[in-house]
Amino acid sequence: MNDLVPASVTGRPAPGGSAAGAALRRAAPALAAYAAIRLLGLVVLAVWSAAGGKDWHTLLTARWDSLWYSRIAEQGYGHAVALPNGDIHSDLAFFPLLPWLERGLSAFSPLSPADAGMAVAWLSSLAAAWALYATGERLHGPRAGVALAALWAALPVGIVQSMAYSESLFTALAAWAGYAVLSGRWVWAGALAALAGLTRPVGAAVVAAVWITAAVTLWRERAGGVPLRAALRARPGMAAGALLAPLGWCGYFLWVAVRQGSPTGYLDVQGGWGNGFDGGLAFAGFLRDQLSGPGFAAGLGLLAGVGLVIWLYVHGVRRGQPLPLAVYGGVVLLLALTAKGYFGSKPRLMLPAYPLLLPPAAALARWRPVWSGLVIGLLAVGSAVYGAFWLNGSGPP
């Protein structure tokens, strides 16, 4: 097995480096492929929605979680809905960075908060695609970078990347934080991790990636006889990055705790939504019910999907995936699979787990371009059709 901590993490960042313009030019094919796949998804959604008498714009900006985000942007926190069964759906469940951006963008443009949320998602998804390209290029070469960005765009639930949701914003911050760790830019990694922690609860995965990679790097140096101070001096910004990383996530948890008057305030809010973590017991029960009832085929497909993502994670780790990506992807996967409530959301919750796509991206990069292009094209068509069907049906809760 290859070393899980790449040389770039254990040493100083390379001096100089490419300018942002040159990096953007290298990423242009990946961004073009990403944009084409997502545009296909939007066109199919628009046609499908029109045929069903629905508005594609409303589906992307004014349903489900997007309504909660835009309401926070317009009125701040404090809204809650009491359900007949006694549950309380509070807007405190939603982290603040996306509503802040919606409010700021709508204040300085003619966009409504909802449209501002969609604009943030579209721009963030391109930023995420760039980060994925940079990661794939660094680890496996330019073709793998293009394939990684394209595969992420062509996920079955890829349409969420174009919605006024926080997944695109979070993935962009998380992916660039991961790249910063890989390239030894620790302060950037910590700052981006802090912003990711203000975006979604799974920001804890980015914090874990920064902390564990830093700890393992220092531990290996100490095991090699290097004093701690010398190891830290050799990695400028590591201590500062590690201190910055949890500020966003912890800050929001503490703010909710104070507002709710309880140290478990945020967990209580999530409990009101029927969410929480039970080690996967509720999800296992859901799978069992599907497999033993009329939904057997759907249950079998769901079981196969869970098996696939676990296999992709294990396969990536066994092939030497760098430690920060292995930690981040593993925590995202763990949190998604062990959460209870809204089982239909699990594919969306795993959307930011881009390291799972590195092994197939590396494999596609070794194929002839015509064959890899054909595979990605078929996946893109499937994603577009499924996304249109999904949003015009039950959609993401």
Side-chain angles (χ1 to χ4, degrees):
M1 181 187 299
N2 295 330
D3 192 348
L4 287 179
V5 181
S8 60
V9 175
T10 59
R12 292 177 179 269
S18 301
L24 182 58
R25 286 192 294 273
R26 292 201 309 275
L31 297 179
Y34 177 84
I37 293 170
R38 292 296 350 120
L39 179 60
L40 174 64
L42 292 173
V43 169
V44 173
L45 174 65
V47 173
W48 193 304
S49 301
K54 295 183 180 180
D55 178 36
W56 66 273
H57 177 264
T58 300
L59 293 176
L60 294 178
T61 63
R63 290 189 69 186
W64 306 295
D65 291 4
S66 58
L67 291 172
W68 289 87
Y69 283 121
S70 60
R71 185 183 181 96
I72 295 169
E74 292 172 340
Q75 303 179 20
Y77 284 100
H79 178 68
V81 176
L83 302 186
N85 64 358
D87 288 343
I88 302 294
H89 286 187
S90 168
D91 58 9
L92 293 172
F94 298 92
F95 276 51
L97 186 56
L98 178 58
W100 286 348
L101 293 175
E102 289 181 347
R103 180 183 300 173
L105 184 56
S106 63
F108 294 98
S109 74
L111 297 175
S112 68
D115 286 335
M118 185 169 68
V120 169
W122 288 15
L123 293 173
S124 297
S125 67
L126 286 170
W130 186 2
L132 266 59
Y133 169 80
T135 302
E137 178 195 41
R138 185 180 187 88
L139 298 177
H140 302 290
R143 289 188 59 195
V146 174
L148 183 59
L151 286 175
W152 189 64
L155 287 172
V157 293
I159 190 65
V160 175
Q161 298 164 19
S162 303
M163 298 178 67
Y165 269 42
S166 60
E167 275 78 6
S168 290
L169 176 61
F170 175 79
T171 305
L173 294 168
W176 279 115
Y179 184 79
V181 175
L182 289 175
S183 55
R185 296 172 173 86
W186 289 99
V187 174
W188 275 108
L192 290 165
L195 291 173
L198 284 170
T199 308
R200 294 186 62 79
V202 75
V206 191
V207 178
V210 174
W211 275 13
I212 292 176
T213 304
V216 169
T217 301
L218 294 177
W219 176 80
R220 289 185 175 181
E221 291 290 327
R222 290 294 304 276
V226 179
L228 179 60
R229 288 186 179 180
L232 287 172
R233 282 198 300 269
R235 290 155 191 82
M238 177 183 279
L243 291 173
L244 283 171
L247 294 183
W249 190 82
C250 291
Y252 187 67
F253 264 70
L254 290 173
W255 181 78
V256 174
V258 172
R259 187 180 176 103
Q260 296 293 95
S262 168
T264 61
Y266 186 78
L267 298 179
D268 298 338
V269 168
Q270 286 284 12
W273 282 81
N275 295 330
F277 298 95
D278 62 359
L281 292 177
F283 185 45
F286 175 76
L287 276 174
R288 183 197 61 228
D289 294 342
Q290 291 290 307
L291 292 171
S292 60
F296 175 79
L300 197 61
L302 182 57
L303 185 62
V306 171
L308 175 62
V309 296
I310 292 175
W311 179 83
L312 285 172
Y313 176 72
V314 173
H315 182 64
V317 171
R318 292 184 64 184
R319 289 183 61 86
Q321 193 167 94
L323 182 59
L325 302 186
V327 171
Y328 168 76
V331 175
V332 172
L333 190 58
L334 179 67
L335 293 177
L337 294 180
T338 60
K340 61 181 180 179
Y342 295 103
F343 300 115
S345 295
K346 292 196 179 293
R348 177 171 65 85
L349 297 178
M350 289 187 280
L351 186 65
Y354 68 92
L356 300 180
L357 300 174
L358 269 170
L364 285 173
R366 295 190 292 269
W367 291 12
R368 291 184 177 181
V370 64
W371 292 112
S372 59
L374 178 61
V375 169
I376 291 174
L378 291 173
L379 291 174
V381 171
S383 173
V385 172
Y386 180 75
F389 166 77
W390 192 40
L391 287 198
N392 279 276
S394 60

